[in-house]
Amino acid sequence: MDRMERAFARNRAWADGVRRADPEFFERLSEQQAPEYLWIGCSDSRVPANTLLDMPPGEVFVHRNIANVVSPSDLNFLSVLQFAVEVLQVRIIIVCGHYGCGGVRASLEERDHGLIDNWLNHIRLVSRLHRDRLEALPEEDRPNRLCELNVIEQAQNVARTTIVRNAWKRGQPLSIHGVVYNLHDGVLAELVSHSASGETCPMLEKDGPTD
Ligand code: CO
């Protein structure tokens, strides 16, 4: 069986299995989607939103890119965010990074990675913002620490968008949670949360102020 045949066979077996467990599943879901979560994560194949949240189709609206970057000039991201917040009215936005992120690691290297270096500049900015914190660590601990700091900064970028600020002004219930995923045990841990009433970030409070 070639790769595409295998993909179609897996798809058919999956669809048959879902229908066996819940004969109305696809008909019901085809009428409308009403997810309560927006997931902003890394494109890494090991960090699939629905799988690790154990949620079926219909429950998570998803945006993924290399190293879970939230850039306020990224029209793709802004369109996803606006649709999720204003039309779908999601309650929770999860910004998920992961330890061992290749994009984050590459941003710390001097060598040329080609076009992607333009994208990784978003993470180099996070490194500059937290230079003292990172330089205080042994070199081998820096990539994973930067994965955490990147989540914290990108979650803050979401909170600062006009889309989210306007939702809070309208009194819409919405919170943003920055989390990190551990590839070694499959577990998510929260690093920061934002709501209309403010920000909670135990990790940076413990460290003292950023700048
Ligand atoms: Co990654």
Side-chain angles (χ1 to χ4, degrees), residues 71-189:
S71 164
S73 60
D74 176 355
L75 193 56
N76 179 359
F77 160 71
L78 289 172
S79 304
V80 167
L81 182 69
Q82 185 190 14
F83 189 74
V85 171
E86 296 181 5
V87 180
L88 298 172
Q89 307 238 335
V90 298
R91 297 295 190 106
I92 303 276
I93 298 174
I94 297 174
V95 177
C96 179
H98 64 101
Y99 295 123
C101 183
V104 169
R105 198 170 48 239
S107 79
L108 289 166
E109 296 167 356
E110 294 293 327
R111 68 184 180 88
D112 182 357
H113 305 88
L115 178 144
I116 199 176
D117 276 319
N118 296 288
W119 185 252
L120 299 179
N121 282 342
H122 293 296
I123 308 173
R124 295 193 181 99
L125 176 65
V126 177
S127 290
R128 282 207 300 279
L129 284 170
H130 295 276
R131 178 179 296 154
D132 294 347
R133 263 199 185 91
L134 289 166
E135 284 182 354
L137 294 173
E139 211 166 316
E140 66 270 23
D141 294 341
R142 291 177 195 169
N144 279 349
R145 180 62 164 163
L146 184 53
C147 290
E148 296 174 341
L149 294 167
N150 184 44
V151 164
I152 290 167
E153 291 299 327
Q154 307 307 337
Q156 186 159 71
N157 288 345
V158 177
R160 282 180 180 154
T161 59
T162 53
I163 297 161
V164 166
R165 292 202 322 241
N166 288 336
W168 284 335
K169 259 186 236 160
R170 290 192 299 271
Q172 189 176 325
L174 177 68
S175 57
I176 300 159
H177 303 263
V179 305
V180 64
Y181 177 72
N182 189 337
L183 294 170
H184 295 281
D185 62 13
V187 174
L188 291 173

Side-chain angles (χ1 to χ4, degrees), residues 42-44 66-68 98 100-104:
C42 183
S43 297
D44 192 303
I66 288 177
N68 43 277
H98 64 101
C101 183
V104 169

